[in-house]
Amino acid sequence: MLATPDFERILRDADLYVTRPRLAVLAAVHEQPHADTESIFGAVRVELPAVSRQAVYDVLNALTAAQLVRRIEPAGSAARYEARVGDNHHHVVCRNCGAIADVDCAVGDVPCLTAADDHGFVIDEAEVVYWGRCPDCRATLEQQRPN
Ligand SMILES: [Zn+2]
Ligand SMILES: [Zn+2]
C-alpha cells in the first residue's frame, strides 16, 4: 500500500497556502475518487464541523485550478473530483447508478491526445466517457429478469 500522501507538501509545491479546509478537501478527494461535491463536503464536515459549503466549493476550485485535482462532469451527472491528475485517463460510467471507474487511455500512452486532425489547435486533453452498466447493476437486472 502507498503511504498517505503528504498533503501539506503537495499544497506548498503548488504554491498554495496550507489551510485546514484545503488539507481536508485534498484528503477527501484522495480517499474517495470520483466523489461529488456533496460527498466531499460531508467528509470535510466530519473533520471541520464549522466549514461552509461555499468554502468547500472555493477550495475545490482552487485545487482544480492548481491541477491538484481534476474535475470530471459526465453528462447528466454532478461534477466529480479525483486526485489522479495529469495522465488524461478516461472513465466508464454506469447508466443506471452513476458508478464511475477509471479507464486508461485506449492504446497506451496518452495517444488519445493525438487527434487525427487537430485543426491547428494545441490539444492538452481528450475527454472520453464510456457508458454502460456496472457489474452490480447487471447482477440486479439479471435477477429481475423473468424466467
Ligand atoms: Zn450501476
Ligand atoms: Zn478517474
Side-chain angles (χ1 to χ4, degrees), residues 31-96:
E31 274 155 29
Q32 307 180 46
H34 314 127
D36 61 15
T37 314
E38 270 316 293
S39 314
I40 295 166
F41 179 60
V44 171
R45 274 301 266 267
V46 171
E47 229 181 294
L48 302 174
V51 81
S52 70
R53 197 175 253 102
Q54 187 60 46
V56 170
Y57 281 125
D58 291 347
V59 169
L60 282 168
N61 285 334
L63 296 178
T64 303
Q67 299 185 338
L68 296 182
V69 305
R70 177 176 169 198
R71 188 199 326 257
I72 54 171
E73 297 182 271
S77 159
R80 315 284 193 106
Y81 294 87
E82 67 182 344
R84 183 178 162 184
V85 294
D87 67 350
N88 193 70
H89 69 274
H90 307 311
H91 295 99
V92 57
V93 183
C94 177
R95 288 185 190 287
N96 202 50

Side-chain angles (χ1 to χ4, degrees), residues 93-100 132-138 140:
V93 183
C94 177
R95 288 185 190 287
N96 202 50
C97 71
I100 298 183
R133 285 201 165 75
C134 74
D136 287 348
C137 288
R138 278 176 49 209
T140 309

